[in-house]
Amino acid sequence: MIDAERMRLSIFFNEEKVNTFSVYDFQTAFSFIVQKGNYVKSVYISPYDHASDTLNIDSVLSDSTSYETLIHLLQEYDDSVLNVSALKNKNNSRYSEYMILSKKHKKALPFSAYGDGMKKAVLLLDGIVRARNGIPLLDEFETAIHTSAMSSVFSWILKSAIEQNIQIFMTSHSKEAIGKVLRLDEDLQPYINLYTLYKYKDENYVRSMNCKEAI
């Protein structure tokens, strides 16, 4: 027996509780079953998924609009990028190996050659595409993305979200990253709301603001 912190979570569907379960502080993963009701398609991207060697962007490569956005994103990191192709992975047959062809290099290079920032941007875009008509959950969304690339990357991501008919939930502790999102293109600002969580006199509160109020 060990003492552990426990968080009790409940799932509601149309204001009706459909399940309750516990998460303990020593857990690294959890699973649950919704006892009734319909699912809303959701995709969760953690702060460290980009560090995995199991990148899968087939959904992006198979969609012409998303592929065009992908190339623009990659060109934020290397303006000579020409295209991306999926090759058979000799080390892991379950996943493709994605190769980037650019004018700067005679041979195509794997994503790993470009660093975590590019991988994270591509991972975010893939999450948007896979969540079409659903909800992507982007935890600590700015992780690994350099400050200089934030505005352009986040702009591409949110514009893709509108095209894919999805609602994004993005969390962050970074005031700088949140500020970058709030000050994106004026055309995007009507779609953005900010929710801040804080504690006052041992009670938890949520403050809701639209984009202009938050700025």
Side-chain angles (χ1 to χ4, degrees):
M1 297 291 292
I2 60 172
D3 292 329
E5 294 289 333
R6 183 183 75 162
M7 178 168 58
R8 193 72 170 161
L9 301 177
S10 297
I11 299 174
F12 290 82
F13 183 77
N14 289 338
E15 300 184 356
E16 180 182 356
K17 185 184 292 187
V18 295
N19 199 8
T20 301
F21 59 100
S22 298
V23 179
Y24 295 87
D25 61 356
F26 57 81
Q27 286 184 240
T28 57
F30 65 91
S31 61
F32 57 87
I33 298 175
V34 176
Q35 296 166 343
K36 60 180 178 178
N38 297 319
Y39 286 104
V40 174
K41 181 169 60 176
S42 60
V43 174
Y44 171 71
I45 297 179
S46 78
Y48 47 80
D49 281 349
H50 62 276
S52 170
D53 292 329
T54 56
L55 184 67
N56 187 335
I57 59 169
D58 290 351
S59 56
V60 176
L61 298 184
S62 60
D63 182 272
S64 60
T65 301
S66 300
Y67 180 78
E68 184 178 358
T69 302
L70 170 66
I71 297 301
H72 284 302
L73 274 177
L74 297 181
Q75 289 173 346
E76 292 292 334
Y77 296 87
D78 179 354
D79 59 8
S80 69
V81 166
L82 297 172
N83 63 52
V84 179
S85 58
L87 304 179
K88 184 177 180 180
N89 192 327
K90 297 179 181 179
N91 298 320
N92 190 337
S93 59
R94 294 179 57 193
Y95 297 95
S96 300
E97 184 174 19
Y98 302 102
M99 306 296 290
I100 302 173
L101 184 65
S102 73
K103 296 178 182 178
K104 291 182 179 179
H105 306 282
K106 292 182 179 180
K107 294 184 177 181
L109 298 177
F111 269 95
S112 58
Y114 284 87
D116 286 345
M118 177 185 283
K119 287 179 65 178
K120 179 59 179 284
V122 172
L123 188 67
L124 292 177
L125 176 61
D126 177 65
I128 298 299
V129 175
R130 287 190 290 119
R132 181 180 286 124
N133 298 318
I135 298 174
L137 309 171
L138 312 181
D139 193 8
E140 301 288 355
F141 63 91
E142 80 288 352
T143 304
I145 297 180
H146 193 272
T147 302
S148 62
M150 282 184 180
S151 293
S152 55
V153 169
F154 299 156
S155 180
W156 287 115
I157 295 301
L158 294 190
K159 288 177 180 177
S160 297
I162 295 172
E163 293 170 356
Q164 301 292 342
N165 186 36
I166 63 176
Q167 180 176 5
I168 305 180
F169 287 90
M170 307 164 66
T171 66
S172 176
H173 289 90
S174 169
K175 184 177 179 180
E176 180 182 22
I178 293 172
K180 295 278 188 180
V181 173
L182 294 174
R183 292 171 174 82
L184 293 176
D185 305 353
E186 289 190 4
D187 291 342
L188 290 172
Q189 290 185 357
Y191 297 93
I192 299 172
N193 293 297
L194 176 68
Y195 299 88
T196 57
L197 308 179
Y198 63 96
K199 180 173 287 188
Y200 178 72
K201 294 184 178 180
D202 295 325
E203 294 289 336
N204 294 317
Y205 293 89
V206 179
R207 180 174 58 181
S208 171
M209 293 173 283
N210 62 38
C211 188
K212 290 186 177 182
E213 290 172 337
I215 291 175

